[in-house]
Amino acid sequence: MSARILDGKAIAARIRAGLAERVATLSFRPGLRVVRVGEDPASGVYVRNKDKAATAAGFDSATIHLPAETTEADLLATIARLNADPAVDGILVQLPLPAHIRTEAAIAAVDPAKDVDGFHPLNAGRLAAGQPGLVPCTPRGVMHILAESGVALRGARAVVLGRSQIVGRPMAQLLLGADCTVTIAHSRTRDLAAECRRAEILVAAVGRPEMVRGDWIAPGAVVVDVGINRLPDGKLVGDVAFAEAAAVAGAITPVPGGVGPMTIACLLENTLDAAIARRGAA
Ligand code: GUN
């Protein structure tokens, strides 16, 4: 193996420690509310981890767990109550929602000033327009990892594999904002391997276990693996075949311990940003 390992877990721990220090200087505790509907088991783990991390950093954090049969109207009423609550700075509606609730309706109901997921169309539009706003947590975390990796972004050829609203699209916007030359590749791209091989920075966010092989990677490239996929034997793997890729890349994030821990750290960053924007730094 030749690639440098980009230790997201360590970077996330530093960010969280820095946030805890800043929160301790405030005259209020930034308020985060995570709304979970139903019993999706993976969501249960994520929501618990978010709550634990927020509380450890000094945030006022709580999870609102609604039953699976909650109607869309009831969920929107819960969101409206949180929008109106002055103690709440950040609202996150955990996805996926049960099939009878429209995800877009829930996302659009969140006050854009409290939208710590950065999924509201107003925040997505601000990002696309190059204006300040709340940015989705995972892409924000990837930008931190790239900053820490020392890779020069200006003029670099970046390929984002995946075009989701949560990762691919905002990731491409952030890289563009950092003066990369950005390609978004996806399941309909004609020769995915060839597109990836052109990348000096490759961000894989497709949710397909080990799809990116070693021969898709240019020697020395920086590879950021956003995927978290559980194999039938219970093993967690990314979207990148790690051992093959690490033999070619210059630097690579592992799974687990790469991008995953950054997402929660950036949720806390977004919540503190939202709190300070709403209340001032008093
Ligand atoms: N489910 C999986 N990832 C996410 C995320 O980043 N935010 C929310 N709200 N739900 C998710």
Side-chain angles (χ1 to χ4, degrees), residues 202-230:
L202 177 63
V203 181
V206 279
R208 302 264 306 265
E210 300 179 323
M211 186 174 96
V212 177
R213 311 309 307 191
D215 64 358
W216 292 30
I217 292 165
V222 176
V223 177
V224 179
D225 189 351
V226 177
I228 303 177
N229 310 289
R230 198 169 288 280

Side-chain angles (χ1 to χ4, degrees), residues 35 43 46 50 92-96 117 119 137-138 166-167 263:
V35 182
S43 290
Y46 292 140
K50 287 170 186 175
L92 181 148
V93 180
Q94 183 66 29
L95 305 179
D117 254 334
F119 294 168
C137 304
T138 300
I166 294 180
V167 183
T263 298

